[in-house]
Amino acid sequence: MVLPRLFPDKTGGWLATGMVGVAFVIAVIRYLNQGAAPAHEVLWAWLPNMALNANLSVGFWLDQLSALMALIITGVGFLIHLYSISYMGHDPKFTRFFAFLNFFVAMMLILVLADSYPLMFVGWEGVGMASYLLIGFWFSGRNSEASDAQVRAASDAEAVSNSNAARKAFIMNRIGDLGFMLGMFLLFKLYGTLSIPELAERVEGAQVAQAGIELACLFLLVGAVGKSGQLPLTTWLPDAMAGPTPVSALIHAATMVTAGVYLVARSHFLYDLAPNASLWVAWAGGLTALYGALSALNQSDIKKILAYSTVSQLGYMFLAVGLHAYSAGVFHLLTHAFFKALLFLAAGAVIHALHEEQDVRKMGGLHKFMPFTHLVSVAGVLAIAGIPVWSGFFSKDAILASAYEQNTALYLIGLGVALLTAFYMGRWYFLVWRGAYRGHGHPHEADTLTKIPLGVLAALATLAGFLNIPTFLGGKHAFDDYIGRAVPLHAHEIPVSTEWLLTVFAVLAGVIGLGWAFLAHRRGALATGPLGAVSSNALYLDALYDGVIGNPSRAVAGALDTVDRGTDDALSGVARNASGPGGLFTLWQSGFVRAYAVSMLLGTAGIIGYWALKTIGSGA
């Protein structure tokens, strides 16, 4: 993949897809052959330090949590690679795109399989780099060489927007990365190791100040917040939709943005001892879930609606792991990977069918032109809205039950977000698929290569919830039993009658939200009234950051630039003044040996004459 010319046409895409497919098969085999005890394999010593009695190794830790993550990364990754062969088929940088995708998958696997925080950080930075490359993949625009001036100008504007989005993601993630590093440094100071298995053992019996554990967990939370687009470092994620749609599905919905959730779940042995930091995790998730839902209500870009939805759903996961309901949070991570990847890929099929149109106000009635894509989109919408029997119902219900048991305020926020989620996804559905077509293109159904991933993801979004049917519904909590070998299980102490009532409330929230969207669609009033302007501007958070941080930073940078330019001009003036006298000496540099000999002779004669006159004068 390094040399694109070696892979003509779509060869590179098929090769990259095949490699991820092989990785998925290996992940499945390891999953099936996995014992109760984790598998720990050290490859080689890395940064040995005898003075500190520490030895950071490059090794991999395969337990139920990392095995599940590997299945998601390679399984969903394979489907999105397959989809991309068709979606990116006419892009001139086709092979480069797949090289970046493969690089991302490799780094993501290192992140989730790492047996130490430093090695995890290598994968953490790797996926950040891949995200930067793929968000800004169209950094030169898609029509930069078009003959039409108007088209070329639009392409140039797109190029600037894409580049800015990539830089924004990169910079905001560096803030989170600083928190991750500070957390590692503090953990090493407290426990003398950064190996995850060793750290889990030392934490139990170590006599460490509570404040130290709390602070280390808060630092790790900063890293998790940055990578997963949670408040206050959330604004980069919606802008990341500037990248190709498969990137949005794989990196900014199903895998990379869940790395923060994985970090907290993997560090459960620390957060179990840090109740205050855990509460910060839960509240960060709850408030972000509400922020994302409110911001999604009145967006007009088909991908931006899903992007803010991702921010909100990630908030649900943080809320769960912050309440130590690790199984519920990870289960929602699994179901979300299926239904959100499905919705993004369906949106990509719509964008292609409408010749790159992304404004939902210029869509409508597409169920007549794209029946298959419409059908799978219905499955995705019902899943995220939490309608039985789709997967989102089971995972979201488990999170709300945990919140009800531990924190009433967070439960009410979660229930309200469930209502808003059903509304904005209902709005998304009705604006895109129902009513009359409001555009000017000629919509068409997706090709077979696009339909295969959509069909598989639709089936998973529909059926995955049955992996964890709760006991009061007659199930056996199969997922809890599996993941409980890697993370502590949160046992509900809620009466069965109360669990039924909570389930009814959650389902009603989804039904009412969809019904609200339907009635608003019938009345033609989908702008959500007074919330419209606030929602379409994402609660003005970007504007706030720009006013408080962006504008002052630009002013300081402008002042420093003026000083720098003035200093350069002054130094240039000194150089110009010095060049005049210096030019006189250049006249002697003729390049003729005879001239140099005459100069030497005259110089020697002058020195001899000087000393002769001085000697005569002193003798007199």
Side-chain angles (χ1 to χ4, degrees):
M1 303 303 290
V2 177
L3 302 173
R5 293 182 182 178
L6 297 180
F7 304 96
D9 299 325
K10 296 184 179 180
T11 309
W14 284 108
L15 177 61
T17 304
M19 291 298 98
V20 178
V22 170
F24 175 66
V25 171
I26 294 172
V28 170
I29 293 172
R30 291 304 301 263
Y31 169 80
L32 295 176
N33 295 329
Q34 188 177 16
H40 187 197
E41 184 174 352
V42 177
L43 301 183
W44 66 81
W46 179 42
L47 301 179
N49 192 320
M50 303 305 293
L52 295 175
N53 193 27
N55 183 20
L56 296 178
S57 61
V58 173
F60 296 109
W61 178 257
L62 186 70
D63 63 357
Q64 287 72 21
L65 178 59
S66 55
L68 176 70
M69 293 298 295
L71 285 172
I72 294 172
I73 294 162
T74 56
V76 176
F78 171 75
L79 294 173
I80 294 174
H81 272 70
L82 190 64
Y83 174 97
S84 300
I85 293 174
S86 172
Y87 190 89
M88 300 295 292
H90 299 291
D91 195 285
K93 296 180 286 189
F94 178 85
T95 303
R96 179 186 298 180
F97 177 80
F98 279 91
F100 291 166
L101 277 189
N102 266 196
F103 172 68
F104 166 77
V105 171
M107 291 296 105
M108 193 69 198
L109 287 173
I110 290 174
L111 191 159
V112 301
L113 294 172
D115 71 338
S116 68
Y117 285 110
L119 185 57
M120 184 190 294
F121 191 69
V122 172
W124 190 275
E125 290 299 289
V127 295
M129 186 64 193
S131 174
Y132 169 77
L133 293 172
L134 287 163
I135 293 172
F137 185 74
W138 286 320
F139 64 89
S140 59
R142 281 175 281 183
N143 298 293
S144 57
E145 298 180 0
S147 56
D148 187 279
Q150 189 173 1
V151 173
R152 194 165 57 252
S155 178
D156 292 343
E158 178 193 43
V160 172
S161 176
N162 294 345
S163 300
N164 287 340
R167 284 193 291 268
K168 183 176 183 179
F170 193 82
I171 292 169
M172 293 194 78
N173 270 273
R174 297 293 74 73
I175 300 172
D177 295 348
L178 175 61
F180 194 151
M181 288 191 292
L182 292 174
M184 285 195 294
F185 299 155
L186 184 54
L187 285 174
F188 188 83
K189 180 177 177 58
L190 293 174
Y191 299 104
T193 183
L194 289 174
S195 168
I196 294 172
E198 291 180 12
L199 195 58
E201 294 176 359
R202 296 188 188 186
V203 162
E204 294 181 4
Q207 298 297 321
V208 176
Q210 181 67 25
I213 301 176
E214 295 278 6
L215 185 58
C217 288
L218 287 174
F219 280 142
L220 293 180
L221 173 60
V222 173
V225 160
K227 191 65 72 181
S228 295
Q230 300 294 282
L231 289 173
L233 302 177
T234 190
T235 56
W236 70 267
L237 183 50
D239 288 359
M241 298 304 108
T245 301
V247 175
S248 305
L250 178 61
I251 298 183
H252 305 120
T255 54
M256 187 195 82
V257 290
T258 63
V261 181
Y262 173 79
L263 175 62
V264 176
R266 174 52 75 207
S267 307
H268 63 84
F269 51 87
L270 296 170
Y271 283 95
D272 286 344
L273 300 176
N276 294 322
S278 295
L279 195 59
W280 275 89
V281 175
W283 273 103
L287 294 177
T288 304
L290 183 60
Y291 166 78
L294 291 173
S295 298
L297 290 177
N298 201 39
Q299 298 295 320
S300 57
D301 186 301
I302 188 173
K303 288 171 62 177
K304 279 286 183 75
I305 297 171
L306 299 178
Y308 282 109
S309 169
T310 299
V311 169
S312 182
Q313 296 301 306
L314 287 166
Y316 267 129
M317 299 174 209
F318 271 78
L319 190 156
V321 296
L323 296 175
H324 301 165
Y326 301 109
S327 177
V330 174
F331 188 47
H332 196 58
L333 186 157
L334 173 67
T335 61
H336 177 264
F338 296 147
F339 63 68
K340 188 54 64 65
L342 168 64
L343 289 167
F344 265 114
L345 296 187
V350 169
I351 292 169
H352 254 14
L354 301 182
H355 309 289
E356 309 309 314
E357 179 60 68
Q358 294 187 204
D359 192 336
V360 293
R361 296 168 296 187
K362 299 178 182 179
M363 299 179 186
L366 295 182
H367 69 286
K368 295 177 288 187
F369 306 100
M370 308 175 69
F372 179 83
T373 309
H374 166 249
L375 183 63
V376 298
S377 296
V378 170
V381 170
L382 293 177
I384 193 174
I387 304 299
V389 294
W390 282 267
S391 60
F393 159 72
F394 295 97
S395 57
K396 191 179 296 183
D397 190 61
I399 294 173
L400 292 176
S402 298
Y404 174 82
E405 184 184 9
Q406 299 184 63
N407 193 305
T408 304
L410 285 173
Y411 168 73
L412 293 175
I413 289 175
L415 189 63
V417 170
L419 173 66
L420 294 175
T421 300
F423 171 77
Y424 68 68
M425 286 310 303
R427 174 180 178 268
W428 181 89
Y429 170 76
F430 288 116
L431 284 174
V432 174
W433 298 106
R434 311 306 297 187
Y437 178 52
R438 299 178 293 276
H440 304 288
H442 301 283
H444 57 83
E445 184 58 279
D447 60 24
T448 303
L449 202 56
T450 300
K451 289 180 179 178
I452 293 173
L454 289 174
V456 174
L457 287 169
L460 292 171
T462 302
L463 302 173
F466 291 100
L467 293 172
N468 204 39
I469 302 175
T471 307
F472 77 97
L473 291 178
K476 296 183 178 180
H477 283 295
F479 182 84
D480 284 351
D481 293 342
Y482 171 76
I483 206 68
R485 302 173 193 172
V487 297
L489 286 179
H490 177 78
H492 291 312
E493 297 180 1
I494 304 175
V496 173
S497 58
T498 304
E499 285 202 81
W500 272 107
L501 192 61
L502 294 177
T503 299
V504 170
F505 286 159
V507 173
L508 280 176
V511 172
I512 291 172
L514 291 176
W516 177 20
F518 173 73
L519 293 176
H521 172 71
R522 288 284 298 271
R523 296 195 306 267
L526 281 170
T528 68
L531 276 176
V534 177
S535 174
S536 38
N537 286 283
L539 279 61
Y540 298 101
L541 186 59
D542 249 331
L544 175 65
Y545 287 169
D546 206 39
V548 174
I549 300 172
N551 290 337
S553 298
R554 281 189 286 271
V556 171
L560 292 175
D561 180 63
T562 302
V563 171
D564 184 58
R565 290 176 184 273
T567 304
D568 280 349
D569 290 342
L571 292 176
S572 297
V574 172
R576 283 193 298 269
N577 292 334
S579 65
L584 297 176
F585 292 98
T586 62
L587 300 176
W588 292 349
Q589 306 300 317
S590 63
F592 294 107
V593 177
R594 287 173 297 176
Y596 297 153
V598 170
S599 298
M600 292 174 62
L601 180 61
L602 292 176
T604 303
I607 293 172
I608 293 172
Y610 168 77
W611 283 107
L613 291 174
K614 186 175 181 181
T615 302
I616 294 170
S618 60

Coordinates of all heavy atoms in Angstrom, one line a residue, residues 52-56 117-118 182-220 267-275 277:
L52 N 14.9 2.1 38.2 CA 13.6 2.3 38.8 C 12.9 0.9 39.0 O 11.7 0.9 39.4 CB 12.7 3.1 37.8 CG 13.2 4.6 37.7 CD1 12.3 5.3 36.6 CD2 13.1 5.3 39.0
N53 N 13.6 -0.2 38.7 CA 13.1 -1.5 38.9 C 11.8 -1.6 38.0 O 10.8 -2.2 38.5 CB 12.8 -1.8 40.3 CG 12.5 -3.3 40.6 OD1 13.0 -4.1 39.8 ND2 11.7 -3.6 41.6
A54 N 11.8 -1.1 36.8 CA 10.7 -1.1 36.0 C 11.1 -1.6 34.6 O 12.2 -1.4 34.2 CB 10.0 0.3 35.8
N55 N 10.2 -2.3 33.9 CA 10.5 -2.8 32.6 C 9.2 -2.7 31.7 O 8.3 -3.6 31.9 CB 11.0 -4.2 32.7 CG 11.4 -4.7 31.3 OD1 11.7 -4.0 30.4 ND2 11.5 -6.0 31.2
L56 N 9.1 -1.7 30.9 CA 8.0 -1.6 30.0 C 8.2 -2.6 28.8 O 9.2 -2.5 28.1 CB 7.8 -0.2 29.5 CG 7.5 0.9 30.6 CD1 7.5 2.2 30.0 CD2 6.2 0.5 31.3
Y117 N -0.1 0.9 29.6 CA -0.6 2.2 29.2 C 0.3 2.9 28.1 O -0.2 3.5 27.2 CB -0.8 3.1 30.4 CG -2.0 2.8 31.2 CD1 -1.9 2.2 32.4 CD2 -3.3 3.0 30.7 CE1 -3.0 1.9 33.2 CE2 -4.4 2.7 31.4 CZ -4.3 2.1 32.7 OH -5.4 1.8 33.4
P118 N 1.6 2.8 28.2 CA 2.4 3.4 27.2 C 2.2 2.8 25.8 O 2.1 3.5 24.8 CB 3.9 3.1 27.6 CG 3.8 3.0 29.1 CD 2.5 2.3 29.4
L182 N -0.2 12.8 31.7 CA -0.1 13.1 33.1 C -0.7 12.0 34.0 O -0.1 11.7 35.0 CB -0.9 14.4 33.3 CG -0.3 15.7 32.7 CD1 -1.2 16.9 32.9 CD2 1.1 16.0 33.3
G183 N -1.8 11.4 33.5 CA -2.3 10.2 34.3 C -1.3 9.1 34.3 O -1.1 8.5 35.4
M184 N -0.6 8.8 33.2 CA 0.4 7.7 33.2 C 1.5 8.1 34.2 O 2.0 7.2 35.0 CB 0.9 7.5 31.8 CG 0.0 6.8 30.9 SD 0.8 6.2 29.4 CE 1.2 7.7 28.6
F185 N 2.0 9.3 34.1 CA 3.1 9.7 34.9 C 2.8 9.5 36.4 O 3.6 9.0 37.2 CB 3.5 11.1 34.7 CG 4.0 11.4 33.2 CD1 3.9 12.7 32.7 CD2 4.5 10.4 32.5 CE1 4.4 12.9 31.4 CE2 5.0 10.6 31.2 CZ 4.9 11.8 30.6
L186 N 1.6 10.0 36.8 CA 1.2 9.9 38.2 C 1.0 8.5 38.6 O 1.4 8.1 39.7 CB -0.1 10.7 38.4 CG -0.7 10.8 39.8 CD1 0.4 11.3 40.7 CD2 -1.9 11.7 39.9
L187 N 0.4 7.6 37.7 CA 0.2 6.2 38.1 C 1.6 5.5 38.3 O 1.7 4.7 39.2 CB -0.5 5.5 37.0 CG -2.0 5.7 36.9 CD1 -2.6 5.1 35.7 CD2 -2.7 5.3 38.2
F188 N 2.6 5.9 37.5 CA 3.9 5.3 37.7 C 4.5 5.7 39.0 O 5.2 5.0 39.7 CB 4.8 5.7 36.5 CG 6.1 5.0 36.5 CD1 6.2 3.7 36.0 CD2 7.3 5.5 37.1 CE1 7.4 3.0 36.0 CE2 8.5 4.9 37.1 CZ 8.6 3.6 36.6
K189 N 4.3 7.0 39.3 CA 4.8 7.5 40.6 C 4.2 6.8 41.8 O 4.8 6.5 42.8 CB 4.6 9.0 40.7 CG 5.1 9.7 42.0 CD 4.9 11.2 41.9 CE 5.4 11.8 43.3 NZ 6.8 11.6 43.6
L190 N 2.8 6.5 41.7 CA 2.1 5.9 42.8 C 2.4 4.5 42.9 O 2.5 4.0 44.1 CB 0.6 6.2 42.6 CG 0.1 7.6 42.6 CD1 -1.4 7.7 42.3 CD2 0.3 8.2 44.1
Y191 N 2.5 3.7 41.8 CA 2.6 2.3 41.9 C 3.8 1.7 41.3 O 4.0 0.5 41.4 CB 1.3 1.7 41.2 CG 0.0 2.1 41.8 CD1 -0.8 3.1 41.2 CD2 -0.4 1.6 43.0 CE1 -2.0 3.5 41.7 CE2 -1.6 1.9 43.5 CZ -2.4 2.9 42.9 OH -3.6 3.3 43.5
G192 N 4.6 2.5 40.6 CA 5.9 1.9 40.1 C 5.8 1.0 38.9 O 6.7 0.4 38.5
T193 N 4.6 1.0 38.2 CA 4.5 0.2 37.0 C 3.3 0.8 36.1 O 2.4 1.5 36.7 CB 4.1 -1.3 37.3 OG1 4.0 -2.0 36.1 CG2 2.8 -1.4 38.0
L194 N 3.4 0.6 34.8 CA 2.3 1.0 33.9 C 1.8 -0.2 33.2 O 1.0 -0.1 32.2 CB 2.8 2.0 33.0 CG 3.1 3.4 33.6 CD1 3.7 4.4 32.6 CD2 1.8 4.0 34.2
S195 N 2.2 -1.4 33.5 CA 1.7 -2.7 33.0 C 0.3 -2.9 33.6 O 0.1 -2.9 34.8 CB 2.6 -3.8 33.3 OG 1.9 -5.1 33.0
I196 N -0.7 -3.0 32.7 CA -2.1 -3.1 33.2 C -2.3 -4.3 34.1 O -2.9 -4.1 35.2 CB -3.0 -3.1 32.0 CG1 -3.0 -1.7 31.3 CG2 -4.5 -3.3 32.5 CD1 -3.7 -1.7 30.0
P197 N -1.9 -5.5 33.8 CA -2.1 -6.6 34.7 C -1.4 -6.4 36.1 O -1.9 -6.7 37.1 CB -1.5 -7.8 34.0 CG -1.5 -7.4 32.5 CD -1.3 -6.0 32.5
E198 N -0.1 -5.9 36.0 CA 0.6 -5.7 37.3 C -0.1 -4.6 38.1 O -0.2 -4.6 39.3 CB 2.0 -5.3 37.0 CG 2.9 -6.4 36.4 CD 4.3 -6.0 36.1 OE1 4.7 -4.9 36.6 OE2 5.1 -6.7 35.5
L199 N -0.5 -3.5 37.4 CA -1.2 -2.4 38.1 C -2.4 -2.8 38.8 O -2.7 -2.4 39.9 CB -1.5 -1.3 37.1 CG -1.8 0.1 37.6 CD1 -0.7 0.6 38.5 CD2 -2.1 1.1 36.5
A200 N -3.2 -3.7 38.1 CA -4.4 -4.2 38.7 C -4.2 -5.0 40.0 O -4.9 -4.9 41.0 CB -5.2 -5.1 37.7
E201 N -3.0 -5.7 40.0 CA -2.7 -6.5 41.2 C -2.2 -5.5 42.3 O -2.5 -5.7 43.5 CB -1.6 -7.5 40.9 CG -2.1 -8.6 40.0 CD -0.9 -9.5 39.6 OE1 0.2 -9.3 40.1 OE2 -1.2 -10.5 38.9
R202 N -1.3 -4.5 42.0 CA -0.8 -3.6 43.0 C -1.8 -2.7 43.6 O -1.6 -2.3 44.8 CB 0.4 -2.9 42.4 CG 1.6 -3.7 41.9 CD 2.8 -2.9 41.5 NE 3.8 -3.7 40.9 CZ 5.0 -3.2 40.6 NH1 5.3 -1.9 40.8 NH2 5.9 -4.0 40.0
V203 N -2.8 -2.3 42.9 CA -3.8 -1.4 43.3 C -4.5 -1.9 44.6 O -4.8 -1.2 45.5 CB -4.8 -1.0 42.2 CG1 -6.0 -0.4 42.8 CG2 -4.1 -0.1 41.2
E204 N -4.8 -3.2 44.6 CA -5.6 -3.8 45.6 C -5.0 -3.6 47.0 O -5.7 -3.3 47.9 CB -5.9 -5.3 45.3 CG -6.7 -5.5 44.1 CD -6.9 -7.0 43.8 OE1 -6.5 -7.8 44.6 OE2 -7.6 -7.3 42.8
G205 N -3.7 -3.9 47.1 CA -3.1 -3.9 48.5 C -2.2 -2.7 48.7 O -1.6 -2.6 49.8
A206 N -2.2 -1.7 47.8 CA -1.3 -0.6 47.9 C -1.8 0.5 48.9 O -3.0 0.7 49.0 CB -1.0 0.1 46.6
Q207 N -0.9 1.0 49.7 CA -1.3 2.1 50.6 C -1.0 3.4 49.9 O 0.1 4.0 50.0 CB -0.5 2.0 51.9 CG -0.7 0.7 52.7 CD -2.2 0.6 53.2 OE1 -2.8 1.6 53.6 NE2 -2.7 -0.6 53.1
V208 N -2.0 3.9 49.1 CA -1.8 5.1 48.3 C -2.9 6.1 48.8 O -4.0 5.7 49.0 CB -1.9 4.8 46.8 CG1 -1.9 6.1 46.0 CG2 -0.8 3.9 46.4
A209 N -2.5 7.4 48.8 CA -3.4 8.4 49.2 C -4.6 8.5 48.2 O -4.4 8.4 47.0 CB -2.7 9.8 49.2
Q210 N -5.8 8.6 48.8 CA -7.0 8.6 47.9 C -6.9 9.8 46.9 O -7.4 9.6 45.8 CB -8.2 8.8 48.8 CG -9.6 8.8 48.1 CD -9.9 7.5 47.5 OE1 -9.4 6.5 47.9 NE2 -10.7 7.5 46.4
A211 N -6.4 10.9 47.3 CA -6.3 12.0 46.4 C -5.5 11.7 45.2 O -5.8 12.1 44.1 CB -5.7 13.2 47.1
G212 N -4.4 10.9 45.3 CA -3.6 10.5 44.2 C -4.3 9.7 43.2 O -4.2 9.9 42.0
I213 N -5.1 8.7 43.7 CA -5.9 7.8 42.8 C -7.0 8.7 42.0 O -7.2 8.6 40.8 CB -6.6 6.7 43.5 CG1 -5.6 5.8 44.3 CG2 -7.4 5.8 42.6 CD1 -6.2 4.7 45.1
E214 N -7.6 9.5 42.8 CA -8.7 10.4 42.2 C -8.1 11.3 41.1 O -8.6 11.4 40.0 CB -9.3 11.3 43.3 CG -10.1 10.6 44.3 CD -11.5 10.2 43.9 OE1 -11.8 10.4 42.7 OE2 -12.3 9.7 44.7
L215 N -6.9 11.9 41.4 CA -6.3 12.8 40.4 C -5.8 12.0 39.2 O -6.0 12.5 38.0 CB -5.1 13.5 41.1 CG -4.4 14.6 40.2 CD1 -5.4 15.6 39.8 CD2 -3.2 15.2 40.9
A216 N -5.3 10.8 39.4 CA -4.8 10.0 38.2 C -6.0 9.7 37.3 O -6.0 9.7 36.1 CB -4.1 8.7 38.7
C217 N -7.2 9.3 38.0 CA -8.4 9.0 37.2 C -8.9 10.2 36.5 O -9.4 10.1 35.4 CB -9.4 8.4 38.1 SG -9.0 6.7 38.7
L218 N -8.8 11.3 37.1 CA -9.3 12.6 36.4 C -8.4 12.9 35.2 O -8.9 13.3 34.2 CB -9.3 13.7 37.4 CG -10.4 13.7 38.5 CD1 -10.2 14.9 39.5 CD2 -11.8 13.8 37.8
F219 N -7.1 12.7 35.3 CA -6.2 12.9 34.2 C -6.6 12.0 33.1 O -6.7 12.4 31.9 CB -4.8 12.7 34.6 CG -4.2 13.9 35.3 CD1 -3.3 13.7 36.4 CD2 -4.4 15.2 34.9 CE1 -2.7 14.8 37.0 CE2 -3.9 16.3 35.5 CZ -3.0 16.1 36.6
L220 N -6.8 10.7 33.4 CA -7.2 9.7 32.4 C -8.6 10.1 31.7 O -8.8 9.9 30.5 CB -7.3 8.3 32.9 CG -6.0 7.7 33.4 CD1 -6.3 6.3 33.9 CD2 -5.0 7.6 32.2
S267 N -9.7 0.6 32.8 CA -9.1 1.1 34.1 C -10.1 0.9 35.2 O -10.0 1.7 36.2 CB -8.7 2.5 33.9 OG -7.8 2.7 32.8
H268 N -11.0 0.0 35.1 CA -12.1 -0.1 36.1 C -11.5 -0.3 37.5 O -12.1 0.2 38.5 CB -13.0 -1.3 35.8 CG -12.3 -2.6 35.8 ND1 -12.2 -3.4 36.9 CD2 -11.8 -3.3 34.8 CE1 -11.5 -4.5 36.6 NE2 -11.3 -4.5 35.3
F269 N -10.4 -1.0 37.6 CA -9.8 -1.2 39.0 C -9.3 0.0 39.6 O -9.2 0.1 40.8 CB -8.6 -2.2 38.9 CG -7.6 -1.9 37.8 CD1 -6.6 -1.0 38.1 CD2 -7.7 -2.4 36.5 CE1 -5.6 -0.7 37.1 CE2 -6.8 -2.1 35.5 CZ -5.7 -1.2 35.8
L270 N -9.1 1.1 38.8 CA -8.7 2.4 39.4 C -10.0 3.2 39.7 O -10.1 3.8 40.8 CB -7.9 3.2 38.4 CG -6.5 2.6 38.0 CD1 -5.9 3.4 36.9 CD2 -5.6 2.7 39.3
Y271 N -11.0 3.2 38.8 CA -12.2 4.0 39.0 C -13.0 3.4 40.1 O -13.8 4.2 40.7 CB -13.0 4.1 37.7 CG -12.3 5.1 36.7 CD1 -11.5 4.7 35.7 CD2 -12.6 6.5 36.8 CE1 -10.9 5.6 34.9 CE2 -12.1 7.4 36.0 CZ -11.2 7.0 35.0 OH -10.6 7.9 34.2
D272 N -12.9 2.1 40.3 CA -13.7 1.5 41.5 C -13.2 2.1 42.8 O -14.0 2.1 43.8 CB -13.5 0.0 41.5 CG -14.3 -0.7 40.4 OD1 -15.2 0.0 39.8 OD2 -14.0 -1.8 40.0
L273 N -12.0 2.6 42.8 CA -11.4 3.2 44.1 C -11.5 4.7 44.1 O -11.0 5.3 45.0 CB -9.9 2.7 44.2 CG -9.7 1.2 44.3 CD1 -8.2 0.9 44.4 CD2 -10.4 0.6 45.5
A274 N -12.1 5.3 43.0 CA -12.1 6.7 42.9 C -13.6 7.2 42.6 O -13.9 7.5 41.5 CB -11.2 7.2 41.8
P275 N -14.4 7.2 43.7 CA -15.8 7.5 43.5 C -16.0 8.9 43.0 O -17.0 9.2 42.2 CB -16.4 7.4 44.9 CG -15.2 7.5 45.8 CD -14.1 6.9 45.1
A277 N -14.0 10.8 41.0 CA -13.6 10.8 39.6 C -14.7 10.1 38.7 O -15.0 10.5 37.6 CB -12.2 10.2 39.3

